[in-house]
Amino acid sequence: MDRKRSTVWFTIMLVGVLLLSACASKGGNSAAPNAGAMQAQNSQNTAGETGGDTENLTEDLQLIAASDLSKLPNVAKERTDTIIVGLTDPSGAFTPYFQQSGYDGNVSSLLYTPLVTVDDSGLPTPGLAESWEVSSDQLTYTFHLRQDLKFSDGSPLTAEDVAFTWTLLHDKSYDGDSQIPALGIEGGEDYKSGTADGISGITITDPLTVSAQLQSPNATALVILGGDILSKAYYGKDYTFGELDYIKKLHEKPLGNGPYVLEKFIPGQEVRYVANEHYYAGPPKTPRFIYKTSEGDVWQYLETGEVDYSSFSATTENIEKLKSLGFVNILPYTPSTYGYLQLNLEHEQLKDKRVRQALAVGLDRQSIYVDANQGAGSVANIPASPISWAYTEEGINSYAFDSQQAGQLLDEAGWTVGANGIREKDGQKLTLHYLGYKNAQNDIFIAVATENLAAIGVDFQPEVFADFNALISKVESGDYDVASFSTPMLTDPSEGVQKFVNGEIEGYDNPKVKELYDKALATSDIEQRKAAYQELFQLLNDELPVIFTNYKKTVYAYNGRIENLSVSPFTGLSSSLPNWTLK
């Protein structure tokens, strides 16, 4: 499995891990647009309708204020110009569109600002681009940059840098996960094949105006094109068509345009930032920011004041414990994500849909993800969060826990119970080699799954990793049957189903899925998109190329001294972080 096929879904949203960017593992694009974004035609920053009830996106956001700041540990009181947040160790690939994991994306989300971001309702809003127009046929996107934009070294940011970024991602050797090449910009394939020196569909009108012409409409194009911008002078200085390895040398020395500048990365310990004096919106209110990346007890880090922010599962126990600290603000939050069990469909036992369905119905997901978490979540059955406008339960199989039904499905698939209670077929035992990341949720999963799967005759062999990158390597090697993951935050429903059409799920290729995926992207009509996604969700719910597991409910707990912190259902904390202050 190559990195291009794996990076998008290798973001595990763990208790205690900050999720700053909506699309942290997607090559630097801050988010994808809500379906309503493409209602704009011949418009200037017009976004149209969301197509859903935006009130339910923020109904959980009720702040529980710190009750006694005098309890704040001295080490936290003494910080006057620095905020510290916990993060699972990134790999160090901090160049947008070339990241190795979602945690790299968390780092770069503070180093770069996209052309277009989204607001709390999922609608596009200006970033580096102060305005844009979409042609009436929804094929041409024109971006107008702000005046006097600069990269963090003081060099100008112009339309040339935008065009360079779009072009670079069409290079034949590009193997990252950007969706820009898939948009179908006119002339993009000619450039990629080497038959053209440039991309005909990219036009620079003046230093502040650049446009891209697509071959067909795409409802996600606005914010995908409006992603992070790379400096042509810096990242393009050594560029030769077909050779992108040179960029790896620049990963730990990124030249960005966001609120912060990378000061130092110490693997396994921390990522240090300083304010970007050239940031278009002005330097961030807090001059220094640190990601504490060493592994450990996140409760301890918060309690001792070593970090100013952590996230936890929204259990009653956790909330009460956080309240007892006295010095933290508590913000309940429902992210636009879903968890799933990645299946190695190239392994014979998992190629049969009936086996996959048997695993779904044979695992007590209610006990694992809801009851064991004191209700801090719900069971998932489709690749969309309940806060998504596309979410539906119509025609969806809930796969309620039923060991007897699971056994019947395995019988139908030809797996019979052997003498030792393990099912066999054609001389092979039904074995599942499971990979998971070491945390409390994974401990619960292994304990319950071991019992559940033994009851239906499956030999369950769990393997747990304390190092996230080691887990990635193991999955990429193909030496597994099942692995536990969660998506990054999702804005548009296309993001949640993308993995099923772009080759990330090796061994799965259903033309009907691709047809429905394309159909949903080809229109800006919200009802047509809903209908296409409903059919697509029903198909994926039946075929189960992955086993959908859960939706999470979390709480953010942060130092009561921090002011101006807010959370977006689609971009997390990244949009508010430059305004954080320490009172």
Side-chain angles (χ1 to χ4, degrees):
M1 179 183 299
D2 61 30
R3 185 174 66 82
K4 182 175 182 180
R5 293 184 174 185
S6 61
T7 306
V8 172
W9 48 269
F10 276 137
T11 298
I12 307 179
M13 293 205 289
L14 305 172
V15 173
V17 175
L18 173 64
L19 294 169
L20 282 172
S21 175
C23 198
S25 62
K26 294 189 177 182
N29 294 336
S30 291
N34 182 278
M38 291 310 303
Q39 297 287 344
Q41 297 183 357
N42 293 319
S43 63
Q44 195 109 359
N45 293 352
T46 304
E49 302 175 357
T50 62
D53 179 5
T54 57
E55 290 184 2
N56 67 10
L57 302 180
T58 56
E59 64 182 2
D60 288 335
L61 301 182
Q62 298 177 7
L63 178 69
I64 303 172
S67 60
D68 188 355
L69 280 177
S70 68
K71 294 182 178 181
L72 188 68
N74 288 332
V75 66
K77 289 180 181 178
E78 293 168 359
R79 285 197 290 273
T80 59
D81 66 349
T82 304
I83 291 176
I84 303 177
V85 168
L87 180 73
T88 295
D89 204 17
S91 76
F94 301 144
T95 306
Y97 309 110
F98 293 86
Q99 290 133 349
Q100 299 290 328
S101 75
Y103 306 121
D104 293 336
N106 289 140
V107 172
S108 68
S109 70
L110 300 185
L111 304 174
Y112 294 82
T113 294
L115 291 175
V116 180
T117 183
V118 294
D119 64 17
D120 290 353
S121 297
L123 301 178
T125 190
L128 298 182
E130 65 179 4
S131 63
W132 54 83
E133 294 102 39
V134 182
S135 63
S136 59
D137 60 5
Q138 299 184 55
L139 294 179
T140 303
Y141 294 76
T142 302
F143 297 87
H144 302 281
L145 304 183
R146 298 177 186 272
Q147 296 276 350
D148 301 320
L149 290 174
K150 295 179 181 180
F151 289 99
S152 58
D153 64 351
S155 60
L157 189 160
T158 71
E160 289 283 350
D161 299 294
V162 179
F164 164 73
T165 302
W166 292 346
T167 301
L168 183 74
L169 299 176
H170 284 82
D171 190 281
K172 67 178 182 180
S173 63
Y174 177 69
D175 66 348
D177 53 28
S178 169
Q179 293 305 299
I180 287 179
L183 288 177
I185 299 177
E186 287 282 358
E189 286 301 313
D190 292 337
Y191 181 77
K192 185 174 182 178
S193 67
T195 59
D197 294 332
I199 298 178
S200 61
I202 298 176
T203 302
I204 298 174
T205 304
D206 58 52
L208 299 180
T209 308
V210 61
S211 62
Q213 183 176 352
L214 307 186
Q215 295 173 331
S216 60
N218 187 308
T220 65
L222 179 60
V223 182
I224 289 180
L225 287 169
D228 293 334
I229 303 305
L230 302 178
S231 165
K232 182 178 180 180
Y234 185 68
Y235 289 100
K237 183 177 67 171
D238 298 322
Y239 173 52
T240 299
F241 177 75
E243 300 177 12
L244 291 180
D245 282 349
Y246 76 95
I247 286 184
K248 295 178 182 178
K249 301 175 183 177
L250 305 176
H251 282 340
E252 292 188 29
K253 298 179 181 179
L255 176 62
N257 44 56
Y260 285 95
V261 177
L262 182 65
E263 181 180 38
K264 191 171 185 179
F265 170 47
I266 306 174
Q269 296 184 40
E270 62 185 26
V271 183
R272 299 178 187 170
Y273 299 85
V274 295
N276 177 10
E277 297 299 321
H278 299 290
Y279 185 48
Y280 83 91
K285 299 295 192 297
T286 302
R288 294 181 175 274
F289 182 85
I290 295 175
Y291 274 133
K292 181 180 176 63
T293 64
S294 56
E295 302 293 341
D297 184 348
V298 293
W299 277 106
Q300 176 183 326
Y301 290 154
L302 187 67
E303 288 175 319
T304 60
E306 293 178 73
V307 301
D308 295 302
Y309 169 97
S310 289
S311 64
F312 303 89
S313 180
T315 64
T316 302
E317 180 181 351
N318 283 348
I319 292 174
E320 291 304 314
K321 185 175 180 180
L322 290 169
K323 285 181 179 179
S324 71
L325 295 180
F327 59 83
V328 296
N329 292 332
I330 306 166
L331 188 60
Y333 179 68
T334 299
S336 59
T337 66
Y338 67 85
Y340 60 98
L341 296 177
Q342 169 67 30
L343 305 175
N344 190 338
L345 300 184
E346 296 191 326
H347 286 189
E348 196 63 36
Q349 72 270 35
L350 294 171
K351 291 181 179 180
D352 191 321
K353 178 179 70 174
R354 293 168 297 186
V355 173
R356 304 194 295 269
Q357 292 176 334
L359 295 177
V361 78
L363 286 169
D364 189 352
R365 293 174 296 154
Q366 176 71 25
S367 292
I368 296 170
Y369 300 104
V370 183
D371 298 344
N373 287 294
Q374 301 173 27
S378 57
V379 172
N381 288 298
I382 63 171
S385 166
I387 72 168
S388 170
W389 56 263
Y391 181 80
T392 182
E393 295 180 6
E394 185 176 343
I396 299 301
N397 187 339
S398 66
Y399 292 106
F401 177 54
D402 188 332
S403 297
Q404 183 176 355
Q405 183 184 359
Q408 291 172 352
L409 286 165
L410 292 174
D411 287 339
E412 293 173 12
W415 290 92
T416 58
V417 179
N420 61 357
I422 302 300
R423 290 180 180 266
E424 298 179 355
K425 181 180 180 180
D426 300 330
Q428 298 295 318
K429 291 184 177 181
L430 183 50
T431 299
L432 289 182
H433 178 198
Y434 167 81
L435 307 181
Y437 192 87
K438 184 174 178 58
N439 61 24
Q441 180 64 71
N442 191 59
D443 291 343
I444 295 169
F445 175 83
I446 290 176
V448 178
T450 299
E451 180 180 343
N452 290 166
L453 296 178
I456 61 174
V458 177
D459 180 17
F460 184 60
Q461 299 179 356
E463 183 176 2
V464 178
F465 292 82
D467 179 74
F468 176 69
N469 294 315
L471 172 61
I472 290 178
S473 297
K474 186 75 168 184
V475 174
E476 288 185 330
S477 75
D479 184 14
Y480 80 105
D481 296 306
V482 182
S484 184
F485 294 103
S486 176
T487 68
M489 285 185 284
L490 309 170
T491 305
D492 189 84
S494 62
E495 296 179 42
V497 298
Q498 196 176 86
K499 63 172 63 68
F500 305 111
V501 299
N502 67 1
E504 288 176 40
I505 308 300
E506 295 185 350
Y508 185 72
D509 182 16
N510 185 332
K512 183 63 175 179
V513 171
K514 181 67 163 61
E515 176 188 329
L516 291 168
Y517 174 80
D518 291 341
K519 181 179 180 180
L521 287 177
T523 178
S524 62
D525 185 284
I526 194 72
E527 294 305 320
Q528 291 181 23
R529 295 197 77 200
K530 281 184 178 179
Y533 282 120
Q534 178 172 312
E535 188 176 352
L536 179 52
F537 293 159
Q538 290 171 349
L539 178 57
L540 292 171
N541 169 258
D542 176 63
E543 294 198 335
L544 292 183
V546 304
I547 295 175
F548 305 105
T549 56
N550 66 306
Y551 307 116
K552 295 183 179 180
K553 292 183 180 180
T554 63
V555 287
Y556 292 149
Y558 60 96
N559 183 334
R561 292 178 61 204
I562 298 178
E563 297 182 320
N564 305 319
L565 185 153
S566 62
V567 180
S568 162
F570 302 106
T571 61
L573 302 173
S574 59
S575 57
S576 74
L577 198 146
N579 296 318
W580 291 10
T581 58
L582 284 169
K583 65 180 178 181

